[in-house]
Amino acid sequence: MLEKLSKNIAIKIKEADPDGPVSIEVMEYALGIKMNFYATILLTVIIGVVTGYIWQNLLALTGVAVSRRFSGGYHFNSLTVCTIVTAIAASIIPTITLKGESFWVIAVMTFLIFLIYAPNSFVADHSTNGKEKHKLICLVVVLIAAIIKSDILLLSCLLQAVTVLPWKGGARKWRKV
């Protein structure tokens, strides 16, 4: 759905400015990424309003987004699927409470996954520059979650950490559906 909408908008833009320097494909890609971003926020907020967890959902979404920015990881084949899955995950995370030692087990496990596998290759950065900095940022986010004992932030990091594991297929470029 988002792919089709971004393509239609890109075609309309190109029709309005046929001599413009940007191709339909480039506009389609850029529009799709922006629409994915805003649609994910909107859907997360809507679910939050319905469930009464709006701020918690947004915290979960922020935790996923920040750790994803620096860790890379698996991409769905569809931006629409990405939007729906991310918004639902960000809306489920606040309903989970970690009891006892489970918090620390998840914190250590998430930290180790990022330590070993992050950053996984991702479209936003093809270079090798800054990979250690990206890893460090991921690790700091997990440490902050542990220090402030935030179940929401820690589970958001765990969700993202799972996407950098090699058995998930690694990073894939967004493909048109």
PDB file of all heavy atoms in Angstrom, residues 150-162:
ATOM      1  N   SER A 150      14.082   0.412  32.815  1.00  0.00           N
ATOM      2  CA  SER A 150      12.930   0.613  31.946  1.00  0.00           C
ATOM      3  C   SER A 150      12.643  -0.666  31.152  1.00  0.00           C
ATOM      4  O   SER A 150      13.378  -1.005  30.228  1.00  0.00           O
ATOM      5  CB  SER A 150      13.193   1.776  30.975  1.00  0.00           C
ATOM      6  OG  SER A 150      12.177   1.835  30.003  1.00  0.00           O
ATOM      7  N   ASP A 151      11.567  -1.347  31.539  1.00  0.00           N
ATOM      8  CA  ASP A 151      11.147  -2.538  30.790  1.00  0.00           C
ATOM      9  C   ASP A 151      10.876  -2.181  29.332  1.00  0.00           C
ATOM     10  O   ASP A 151      11.248  -2.926  28.423  1.00  0.00           O
ATOM     11  CB  ASP A 151       9.869  -3.131  31.386  1.00  0.00           C
ATOM     12  CG  ASP A 151      10.045  -3.705  32.773  1.00  0.00           C
ATOM     13  OD1 ASP A 151      11.189  -3.758  33.267  1.00  0.00           O
ATOM     14  OD2 ASP A 151       9.030  -4.114  33.369  1.00  0.00           O
ATOM     15  N   ILE A 152      10.225  -1.050  29.114  1.00  0.00           N
ATOM     16  CA  ILE A 152       9.837  -0.647  27.768  1.00  0.00           C
ATOM     17  C   ILE A 152      11.067  -0.424  26.892  1.00  0.00           C
ATOM     18  O   ILE A 152      11.159  -0.957  25.775  1.00  0.00           O
ATOM     19  CB  ILE A 152       8.951   0.621  27.795  1.00  0.00           C
ATOM     20  CG1 ILE A 152       7.613   0.309  28.470  1.00  0.00           C
ATOM     21  CG2 ILE A 152       8.729   1.173  26.390  1.00  0.00           C
ATOM     22  CD1 ILE A 152       6.749   1.527  28.731  1.00  0.00           C
ATOM     23  N   LEU A 153      12.008   0.343  27.368  1.00  0.00           N
ATOM     24  CA  LEU A 153      13.204   0.632  26.583  1.00  0.00           C
ATOM     25  C   LEU A 153      14.036  -0.635  26.369  1.00  0.00           C
ATOM     26  O   LEU A 153      14.533  -0.884  25.269  1.00  0.00           O
ATOM     27  CB  LEU A 153      14.032   1.721  27.267  1.00  0.00           C
ATOM     28  CG  LEU A 153      15.167   2.328  26.473  1.00  0.00           C
ATOM     29  CD1 LEU A 153      14.699   2.858  25.129  1.00  0.00           C
ATOM     30  CD2 LEU A 153      15.820   3.456  27.277  1.00  0.00           C
ATOM     31  N   LEU A 154      14.151  -1.459  27.394  1.00  0.00           N
ATOM     32  CA  LEU A 154      14.925  -2.690  27.267  1.00  0.00           C
ATOM     33  C   LEU A 154      14.286  -3.646  26.260  1.00  0.00           C
ATOM     34  O   LEU A 154      14.974  -4.204  25.399  1.00  0.00           O
ATOM     35  CB  LEU A 154      15.078  -3.373  28.621  1.00  0.00           C
ATOM     36  CG  LEU A 154      15.914  -4.648  28.612  1.00  0.00           C
ATOM     37  CD1 LEU A 154      17.342  -4.355  28.143  1.00  0.00           C
ATOM     38  CD2 LEU A 154      15.912  -5.293  29.981  1.00  0.00           C
ATOM     39  N   LEU A 155      12.977  -3.829  26.330  1.00  0.00           N
ATOM     40  CA  LEU A 155      12.300  -4.717  25.387  1.00  0.00           C
ATOM     41  C   LEU A 155      12.351  -4.168  23.960  1.00  0.00           C
ATOM     42  O   LEU A 155      12.431  -4.939  22.998  1.00  0.00           O
ATOM     43  CB  LEU A 155      10.860  -4.973  25.831  1.00  0.00           C
ATOM     44  CG  LEU A 155      10.727  -5.855  27.079  1.00  0.00           C
ATOM     45  CD1 LEU A 155       9.293  -5.835  27.584  1.00  0.00           C
ATOM     46  CD2 LEU A 155      11.197  -7.274  26.803  1.00  0.00           C
ATOM     47  N   SER A 156      12.330  -2.853  23.817  1.00  0.00           N
ATOM     48  CA  SER A 156      12.485  -2.233  22.493  1.00  0.00           C
ATOM     49  C   SER A 156      13.854  -2.564  21.911  1.00  0.00           C
ATOM     50  O   SER A 156      13.981  -2.898  20.728  1.00  0.00           O
ATOM     51  CB  SER A 156      12.323  -0.715  22.582  1.00  0.00           C
ATOM     52  OG  SER A 156      11.046  -0.375  23.035  1.00  0.00           O
ATOM     53  N   CYS A 157      14.872  -2.477  22.757  1.00  0.00           N
ATOM     54  CA  CYS A 157      16.232  -2.828  22.311  1.00  0.00           C
ATOM     55  C   CYS A 157      16.329  -4.305  21.971  1.00  0.00           C
ATOM     56  O   CYS A 157      16.971  -4.678  20.982  1.00  0.00           O
ATOM     57  CB  CYS A 157      17.247  -2.462  23.381  1.00  0.00           C
ATOM     58  SG  CYS A 157      17.484  -0.690  23.592  1.00  0.00           S
ATOM     59  N   LEU A 158      15.700  -5.156  22.776  1.00  0.00           N
ATOM     60  CA  LEU A 158      15.719  -6.594  22.493  1.00  0.00           C
ATOM     61  C   LEU A 158      15.065  -6.890  21.147  1.00  0.00           C
ATOM     62  O   LEU A 158      15.614  -7.644  20.338  1.00  0.00           O
ATOM     63  CB  LEU A 158      15.011  -7.381  23.596  1.00  0.00           C
ATOM     64  CG  LEU A 158      14.851  -8.880  23.319  1.00  0.00           C
ATOM     65  CD1 LEU A 158      16.204  -9.568  23.230  1.00  0.00           C
ATOM     66  CD2 LEU A 158      13.958  -9.530  24.375  1.00  0.00           C
ATOM     67  N   LEU A 159      13.923  -6.277  20.908  1.00  0.00           N
ATOM     68  CA  LEU A 159      13.242  -6.471  19.622  1.00  0.00           C
ATOM     69  C   LEU A 159      14.170  -6.112  18.471  1.00  0.00           C
ATOM     70  O   LEU A 159      14.315  -6.867  17.505  1.00  0.00           O
ATOM     71  CB  LEU A 159      11.968  -5.622  19.560  1.00  0.00           C
ATOM     72  CG  LEU A 159      11.251  -5.602  18.223  1.00  0.00           C
ATOM     73  CD1 LEU A 159      10.664  -6.972  17.907  1.00  0.00           C
ATOM     74  CD2 LEU A 159      10.163  -4.540  18.231  1.00  0.00           C
ATOM     75  N   GLN A 160      14.828  -4.978  18.574  1.00  0.00           N
ATOM     76  CA  GLN A 160      15.743  -4.553  17.515  1.00  0.00           C
ATOM     77  C   GLN A 160      16.966  -5.452  17.440  1.00  0.00           C
ATOM     78  O   GLN A 160      17.445  -5.778  16.360  1.00  0.00           O
ATOM     79  CB  GLN A 160      16.155  -3.092  17.698  1.00  0.00           C
ATOM     80  CG  GLN A 160      17.114  -2.592  16.667  1.00  0.00           C
ATOM     81  CD  GLN A 160      16.644  -2.840  15.245  1.00  0.00           C
ATOM     82  OE1 GLN A 160      15.461  -2.767  14.939  1.00  0.00           O
ATOM     83  NE2 GLN A 160      17.562  -3.133  14.354  1.00  0.00           N
ATOM     84  N   ALA A 161      17.469  -5.881  18.582  1.00  0.00           N
ATOM     85  CA  ALA A 161      18.648  -6.748  18.599  1.00  0.00           C
ATOM     86  C   ALA A 161      18.387  -8.044  17.847  1.00  0.00           C
ATOM     87  O   ALA A 161      19.264  -8.553  17.139  1.00  0.00           O
ATOM     88  CB  ALA A 161      19.080  -7.033  20.037  1.00  0.00           C
ATOM     89  N   VAL A 162      17.188  -8.569  17.970  1.00  0.00           N
ATOM     90  CA  VAL A 162      16.849  -9.812  17.269  1.00  0.00           C
ATOM     91  C   VAL A 162      16.985  -9.638  15.756  1.00  0.00           C
ATOM     92  O   VAL A 162      17.377 -10.559  15.051  1.00  0.00           O
ATOM     93  CB  VAL A 162      15.429 -10.284  17.668  1.00  0.00           C
ATOM     94  CG1 VAL A 162      14.934 -11.399  16.769  1.00  0.00           C
ATOM     95  CG2 VAL A 162      15.414 -10.730  19.121  1.00  0.00           C
TER      96      VAL A 162
END
